[in-house]
Amino acid sequence: MKTDETQVVVVTGGSRGIGRAICLEFAAPGTRIFFNYFNPADPQGEKAHAEKTETLVKGAGGWAKSQSVNVASENSVKTFFDTVMHEAGRIDVLVNNAGITRDKLLMRMTEADWDAVMDVNLKGAFHCTRFAGRAMVNQRSGRIINIASIVGIIGNPGQANYVASKAGIIGLTKTAAREFAQRGVTVNAVAPGFIETDMTAVLSEKVRTEMMAQIPLGRAGQPEDVAHAVAFLASEQAAYITGQVIHVSGGMYI
């Protein structure tokens, strides 16, 4: 990891929610943050969210640049990382956070529902890890942190596609950790539980009450709770940690 010069951080899905909190967690003089956003259903709205993240990062004394990138597209991801390398010359931290849901009971889920979630959540992380990993392996240092989910461990009705993608993230994390370790690159995952975001805001009161009953700490988490764990795994204090899953769930999984 770099400690004496500019640190370069790449965050996927950084326009709002957990991604925005992660960008803000890294916001500091001497750190350059590149993040993507992508929402074909509302491109201008998502761009506005991304611009707000940029403004908040700059207000915290940092530097940020956003770009609309579909992480499910290999060519788009390659172009994105080529741009980062051209402008910054290195990548010190990659946070694979981009994710979507298409919730339905398994028997009602369509192939399109399955493919959409797997393409963004799992294949997107695969693409980004490959391209960032090449830079990190060459520079013989780096941190990769993947955002998994508690449901990737315990399962959740109505989310077969999402659960499978997050379980896959954990498997990807452990394999990449073994492959990159000798080059000084650590790979870990953070598994959030019930976090207050736009994704969870649409849940019914009944579902929210049921979820809260499963949390020993008795409250929902905030995006910042996840961001703190990510920052730790990216720090020098976590240099001897790799291939691990850190649960940020208020004790939902013990």
Side-chain angles (χ1 to χ4, degrees):
M1 294 292 294
K2 298 195 76 172
T3 57
D4 57 338
E5 299 177 39
T6 300
Q7 186 179 45
V8 180
V9 178
V10 178
V11 180
T12 67
S15 57
R16 50 194 166 127
I18 291 173
R20 174 181 287 171
I22 291 169
C23 289
L24 287 170
E25 187 72 19
F26 283 104
T31 298
R32 303 184 72 183
I33 301 168
F34 294 84
F35 70 93
N36 89 300
Y37 62 94
F38 188 72
N39 185 355
D42 185 16
Q44 291 306 311
E46 205 63 42
K47 181 179 180 181
H49 288 303
E51 290 173 346
K52 182 175 180 180
T53 298
E54 288 185 9
T55 299
L56 290 171
V57 168
K58 291 170 185 175
W63 182 100
K65 180 178 181 180
S66 64
Q67 185 175 335
S68 178
V69 179
N70 179 8
V71 295
S73 165
E74 180 180 25
N75 288 336
S76 296
V77 172
K78 181 181 184 302
T79 299
F80 177 54
F81 280 96
D82 283 348
T83 299
V84 173
M85 290 300 293
H86 175 74
E87 295 188 11
R90 63 183 295 118
I91 300 170
D92 298 295
V93 180
L94 166 66
V95 184
N96 283 311
N97 167 72
I100 63 171
T101 57
R102 295 287 186 274
D103 295 351
K104 288 179 185 174
L105 291 174
L106 181 61
M107 297 301 293
R108 298 177 182 173
M109 188 173 291
T110 66
E111 184 177 8
D113 294 328
W114 178 272
D115 288 346
V117 171
M118 296 297 284
D119 283 352
V120 173
N121 298 11
L122 185 54
K123 187 164 72 173
F126 162 69
H127 287 324
C128 294
T129 299
R130 274 200 308 148
F131 289 112
R134 289 172 184 170
M136 292 177 178
V137 164
N138 287 336
Q139 68 201 27
R140 303 185 75 87
S141 69
R143 301 279 191 270
I144 298 174
I145 300 103
N146 297 321
I147 305 301
S149 170
I150 187 174
V151 300
I153 302 291
I154 65 175
N156 198 37
Q159 289 194 308
N161 47 6
Y162 186 78
V163 170
S165 71
K166 293 304 184 177
I169 284 288
I170 293 171
L172 175 65
T173 297
K174 292 180 177 295
T175 296
R178 289 185 179 275
E179 291 187 5
F180 295 164
Q182 291 188 343
R183 294 287 181 164
V185 179
T186 67
V187 188
N188 292 288
V190 173
F194 185 57
I195 308 296
E196 295 281 10
T197 65
D198 291 347
M199 192 177 290
T200 58
V202 300
L203 297 175
S204 69
E205 191 60 35
K206 179 177 181 292
V207 171
R208 292 175 65 87
T209 300
E210 291 173 350
M211 293 289 287
M212 291 293 289
Q214 301 177 49
I215 305 173
L217 285 181
R219 67 171 179 87
Q222 297 300 314
E224 292 76 16
D225 293 318
V226 180
H228 296 330
V230 170
F232 168 69
L233 290 172
S235 72
E236 283 300 307
Q237 286 75 18
Y240 201 55
I241 300 173
T242 196
Q244 302 305 303
V245 181
I246 307 298
H247 290 267
V248 182
S249 63
M252 288 180 74
Y253 180 81
I254 296 177

